[in-house]
Amino acid sequence: MKITEHVQRAIEQKKTAFSVEILPPVKGQNIQHIFQTLDPLAELNPAFIDVTYHREEYVYKKHLNGLLERKSVRKRPGTVAICAAIQNHYKIDAVPHIICGGFDKEDTENALIELNFLGIDNLLVLRGDPIKSESTFIPEPNGHRYASELLEQIVNLNQGKYLDDELLNSANTNFCIGVAGYPEKHFEAPNFNIDLGYLKKKVDLGAEYIVTQMFFDNQKYFDFVDKCRAIGINVPIIPGLKPITTKSQITALPKTFHVDLPDDLANELVKADENKRVKEIGEEWIVNQCKELIQNEVPILHFYTMSKSDGFVKILKEVL
């Protein structure tokens, strides 16, 4: 089922659904690691499950002749296979993240063909972050610099347009394409309105739904939705949520994801003297966030689980 259909069903049933995002296991672990995370969540019937993609880091190996060879190292392989396993095992729609970094256009087309063969109908399209050795994002040769360019390639495939324009009787793919939205602005955008303009461009190109970056102040989400609607962005906007669970996240999450913590939340977290209390505060806060979003008839809540189910089952049982 398409994500847009999940949204419409939740609206018709007047019942908020939920979805989760997980990380692929690190190299050396197997699919059971994923199943252990998802088993308790799957019992609560998520609408869909996102699987992130982690771009390769590069290492340099020096040969005897003194030349350096750049070699990519993937620490979390398997997004496509994990999505197939999830759909087969749980009969729940899986949504792979498709990114620009690490792929040229032909690599992307081949990956999309495989996903189409596997019956995976939904995608979340992202530019992806720079790797640690890059100060700014650097695309692969003959790759995509922007998510909008990647989105355009997928839309072309949905219309049966492949890179080889001499193909005859080429089959259309049928992907439902999502993109990311930033209620507090993408950190690289010069201002909020320009960031909204980039998002509008992606919707005009064919994006059918938006999943937001995490936020801790619902008013920022409501304002974001209002501003999107005002400029003609009318696709579903699914809120992304994550509870704070450790003291280190008090500074790490704002730094990494460029989000603010409301004063009330930040003050309580700073006063907490141990992780157990931080986790309680974080869960209480997100429960209240969820209840307010549900009161405002948000059809789907999306949770960034970081591949940990403990805490989320409790939260979901309390709010849904």
Side-chain angles (χ1 to χ4, degrees):
M1 184 183 291
K2 303 293 179 66
I3 303 304
T4 49
E5 294 172 332
H6 283 292
V7 171
Q8 187 58 38
R9 183 166 70 175
I11 292 171
E12 291 172 354
Q13 294 179 349
K14 297 182 179 180
K15 184 178 179 181
T16 298
F18 80 98
S19 59
V20 297
E21 179 176 301
I22 62 170
L23 306 172
V26 294
K27 190 177 291 185
Q29 295 179 342
N30 60 29
I31 194 64
Q32 293 305 317
H33 177 81
I34 293 293
F35 292 161
Q36 288 169 9
T37 297
L38 288 178
D39 281 349
L41 294 169
E43 291 180 5
L44 301 175
N45 299 314
F48 57 91
I49 298 169
D50 271 33
V51 181
T52 66
Y53 182 89
H54 286 259
R55 186 181 173 190
E56 294 94 339
E57 294 289 341
Y58 293 111
V59 297
Y60 291 86
K61 181 179 179 181
K62 189 171 184 178
H63 293 276
L64 293 176
N65 59 10
L67 295 176
L68 288 176
E69 176 189 13
R70 190 174 82 161
K71 184 177 181 181
S72 63
V73 178
R74 286 183 60 192
K75 294 182 179 180
R76 293 182 180 270
T79 294
V80 171
I82 291 167
C83 287
I86 286 171
Q87 292 203 166
N88 180 65
H89 187 76
Y90 295 109
K91 311 306 179 189
I92 295 171
D93 288 308
V95 184
H97 289 193
I98 306 298
I99 67 172
C100 297
F103 298 92
D104 63 22
K105 294 175 184 177
E106 186 172 352
D107 293 332
T108 296
E109 181 173 274
N110 290 337
L112 292 167
I113 290 170
E114 290 181 9
L115 290 167
N116 188 51
F117 288 163
L118 290 167
I120 294 170
D121 298 327
N122 300 288
L123 309 171
L124 188 68
V125 174
L126 309 159
R127 187 200 67 181
D129 297 323
I131 60 176
K132 293 178 182 178
S133 59
E134 297 174 349
S135 58
T136 59
F137 177 82
I138 300 174
E140 295 296 313
N142 196 35
H144 297 298
R145 179 174 292 276
Y146 303 110
S148 57
E149 296 173 348
L150 174 56
L151 172 66
E152 202 164 6
Q153 181 178 4
I154 299 169
V155 169
N156 283 339
L157 276 181
N158 278 350
Q159 298 171 353
K161 299 174 185 176
Y162 290 71
L163 294 176
D164 182 353
D165 56 12
E166 295 183 1
L167 291 177
L168 300 176
N169 302 316
S170 55
N172 297 18
T173 57
N174 190 26
F175 293 116
C176 179
I177 308 167
V179 294
Y182 297 86
E184 299 178 61
K185 185 184 81 65
H186 190 280
F187 73 99
E188 293 179 359
N191 64 47
F192 192 86
N193 287 331
I194 288 177
D195 197 31
L196 280 181
Y198 294 150
L199 184 58
K200 176 70 159 54
K201 178 181 179 180
K202 287 184 275 191
V203 171
D204 290 345
L205 284 170
E208 298 174 74
Y209 70 96
I210 296 165
V211 180
T212 77
Q213 177 60 277
M214 68 181 72
F215 56 89
F216 297 91
D217 181 348
N218 283 353
Q219 191 57 52
K220 291 184 177 179
Y221 168 76
F222 296 136
D223 291 345
F224 176 70
V225 172
D226 287 344
K227 290 174 181 177
C228 285
R229 302 306 184 223
I231 63 170
I233 297 175
N234 295 313
V235 300
I237 302 175
I238 299 170
L241 301 161
K242 183 191 181 325
I244 291 177
T245 57
T246 65
K247 286 190 74 71
S248 64
Q249 290 177 352
I250 299 171
T251 54
L253 291 181
K255 178 181 179 181
T256 303
F257 298 101
H258 307 276
V259 295
D260 285 338
L261 302 184
D263 288 341
D264 289 349
L265 174 60
N267 290 336
E268 287 297 311
L269 290 170
V270 169
K271 288 188 295 184
D273 57 0
E274 57 182 13
N275 277 336
K276 180 179 179 183
R277 180 57 186 147
V278 168
K279 189 171 185 289
E280 291 172 351
I281 294 168
E283 290 178 353
E284 290 168 5
W285 187 270
I286 200 170
V287 164
N288 289 329
Q289 273 193 273
C290 291
K291 288 180 177 178
E292 183 179 26
L293 292 166
I294 291 169
Q295 288 172 358
N296 282 268
E297 300 181 343
V298 171
I300 294 180
L301 306 175
H302 185 69
F303 293 95
Y304 297 109
T305 71
M306 306 300 289
S307 292
K308 296 179 180 178
S309 56
D310 59 315
F312 285 96
V313 171
K314 175 186 173 183
I315 291 166
L316 289 165
K317 286 183 176 179
E318 191 165 346
V319 301
L320 296 178

